[in-house]
Amino acid sequence: MELDLSPKLAKKVYGGDGDGDGDGGSYYAWCPTELPMLREGNIGAAKLALQKNGFALPRYSDSSKVAYVLQGAGVAGIILPESEEKVIAIKKGDAIALPFGVITWWYNKDDTELEVLFMGDTSKGHKAGQFTDFFLTGANSIFTGFTTDFVKRAWDVDDDTAKALIGNQQDKGIVKLDTNVKMPEPKPDHRKGMALNCEEAPLDTDIKNAGNVVLLNTKNLPLVGQVGLGADLVRLEGNAMCSPGFSCDSALQVTYIVKGSGRLQVVGVDGKRVLETMVKPGNLLIVPRFFVVSKIADPEGLSWFSIITTPNPVFTHLAGSIGAWKAISPEVLQAAFKVPVETEKLFRSKRTNDAIFFPPPPQ
């Protein structure tokens, strides 16, 4: 049975409907039953949306992840194993590496919704293709699982304190705080080495009228080495094209459409086109190992954020000035395509200036 590679939207797992006074936000996830490549690739993907005064309770996960802020601004608390809490300001475009064992909390004090995307490796998790979170507080926290005498002895507290720790917080995962609740202020020096803003970082590739890319790797965010994932933010100009290419180090690429829309094609084994579709914001898709993918943006452009299942990915592009065909000798090309010299020369003479991204064709 062939895998369904078509892009999918996330579905709500828990949280409010966005209308109630007590609604702090919602948590969404992509399900491997709807997107089988999640299970095949051992990849998890989820999204946190916090309303004003929304507070995502402290938790840790069974998977290493990369978080990416899709919209809004807020504060994140990050506690690495055996380390102090880092309280950092986060905003749209920020990427944050979250290794195994890290404890996080998230808070939004602004009117604009704070939306954070999580993508990561579930190969060591409880369920292939899904994150499992363990909450430190809330109605489904570790405190509710232990008996009162264990809580009293472990944390050296009396009966009343133990009962408060176990029973006061009746909500799960996300709560809405009162406006008078004071949360920790972010510390500028805590941000160093913890987050990289992909919208402000130096461009790794920038092609006029075509597109640009920022790579997230061990050089600009060393923590991705612990996570074991790389990432990139790609912005394609209106009607521009991304060169057909593939990951040549067997890595999987998991792509979330951030903005705009466009056409996408994937070609797999035996030259078979396994996917042809339109992509739009909120879509998540996974390209199988070594399959070739290409995208053409609609007039408004197309942006996507991807994780790659290696911290320093390597790609082979098949078209453009750095395309693999340019490295093959003319005689081999002529014989392989079974074309005359003139055709081979015409083929080689094209795309000598454009690498990776191609501007729209002249009108």
Side-chain angles (χ1 to χ4, degrees):
M1 183 178 176
E2 294 183 356
L3 285 175
D4 178 10
L5 301 180
S6 57
K8 296 294 191 300
L9 298 172
K11 291 191 173 180
K12 186 191 292 185
V13 179
Y14 60 83
D17 56 14
D19 298 323
D21 291 337
D23 174 25
S26 299
Y27 180 84
Y28 304 81
W30 283 265
C31 180
T33 57
E34 293 189 356
L35 190 57
M37 277 300 299
L38 290 172
R39 185 183 292 111
E40 291 291 319
N42 258 316
I43 297 294
K47 196 159 51 171
L48 176 68
L50 292 180
Q51 308 300 323
K52 184 174 183 179
N53 297 319
F55 174 43
L57 297 172
R59 71 199 65 194
Y60 64 92
S61 175
D62 64 351
S63 305
S64 57
K65 307 172 186 175
V66 172
Y68 181 73
V69 182
L70 296 167
Q71 72 170 33
V75 179
I78 301 171
I79 304 97
L80 295 168
E82 306 299 323
S83 181
E84 67 172 358
E85 179 185 63
K86 303 285 188 180
V87 181
I88 65 171
I90 57 172
K91 65 178 182 178
K92 181 176 178 288
D94 276 349
I96 307 155
L98 302 174
F100 280 113
V102 66
I103 295 171
T104 63
W105 55 260
W106 310 81
Y107 175 62
N108 178 24
K109 62 180 178 180
D110 294 341
D111 291 329
T112 302
E113 183 178 70
L114 172 65
E115 196 171 25
V116 184
L117 173 72
F118 302 94
M119 297 192 290
D121 176 14
T122 66
S123 59
K124 295 180 181 178
H126 286 269
K127 300 175 183 177
Q130 287 181 271
F131 299 137
T132 300
D133 288 335
F134 296 82
F135 294 91
L136 301 190
T137 63
N140 56 342
S141 76
I142 60 166
F143 281 96
T144 63
F146 284 114
T147 56
T148 305
D149 61 316
F150 265 67
V151 173
K152 287 170 57 180
R153 184 162 179 179
W155 284 276
D156 191 22
V157 295
D158 58 27
D159 274 337
D160 290 342
T161 303
K163 289 175 182 176
L165 292 172
I166 294 170
N168 276 12
Q169 185 55 268
Q170 297 298 314
D171 294 308
K172 295 182 179 180
I174 299 171
V175 301
K176 185 171 184 177
L177 300 181
D178 292 335
T179 54
N180 60 353
V181 172
K182 185 173 177 60
M183 293 292 282
E185 290 295 326
K187 299 176 174 60
D189 59 315
H190 281 191
R191 186 178 161 88
K192 185 178 180 181
M194 299 299 297
L196 176 77
N197 191 277
C198 296
E199 296 185 355
E200 299 173 354
L203 300 173
D204 291 275
T205 301
D206 186 15
I207 298 175
K208 186 178 180 180
N209 300 322
N212 58 62
V213 58
V214 170
L215 293 172
L216 193 70
N217 54 34
T218 54
K219 293 180 181 179
N220 53 19
L221 193 61
L223 268 179
V224 300
Q226 293 185 41
V227 174
L229 302 168
D232 60 20
L233 175 66
V234 180
R235 289 164 285 199
L236 206 56
E237 299 289 341
N239 297 315
M241 181 180 191
C242 182
S243 169
F246 65 94
S247 170
C248 57
D249 53 4
S250 81
L252 279 169
Q253 188 169 9
V254 189
T255 297
Y256 177 88
I257 306 300
V258 175
K259 185 179 179 182
S261 61
R263 295 168 55 201
L264 177 142
Q265 293 185 356
V266 178
V267 176
V269 180
D270 293 327
K272 183 179 180 182
R273 186 168 64 252
V274 293
L275 180 64
E276 180 169 11
T277 189
M278 294 294 298
V279 291
K280 61 183 180 179
N283 280 162
L284 185 86
L285 60 110
I286 304 176
V287 178
R289 292 178 173 89
F290 303 111
F291 282 36
V292 179
V293 60
S294 184
K295 307 177 186 74
I296 298 177
D298 283 343
E300 73 269 26
L302 179 64
S303 299
W304 63 89
F305 183 80
S306 298
I307 63 162
I308 304 98
T309 56
T310 177
N312 295 295
V314 180
F315 290 95
T316 291
H317 295 276
L318 299 178
S321 59
I322 61 171
W325 289 117
K326 300 294 186 188
I328 299 177
S329 57
E331 297 83 359
V332 172
L333 273 183
Q334 188 180 338
F337 280 119
K338 196 180 178 181
V339 294
V341 175
E342 294 76 15
T343 304
E344 186 279 326
K345 286 184 177 178
L346 178 65
F347 178 70
R348 185 179 294 275
S349 69
K350 302 294 184 180
R351 294 286 182 216
T352 56
N353 296 317
D354 305 320
I356 304 178
F357 306 126
F358 309 143
Q363 297 296 322

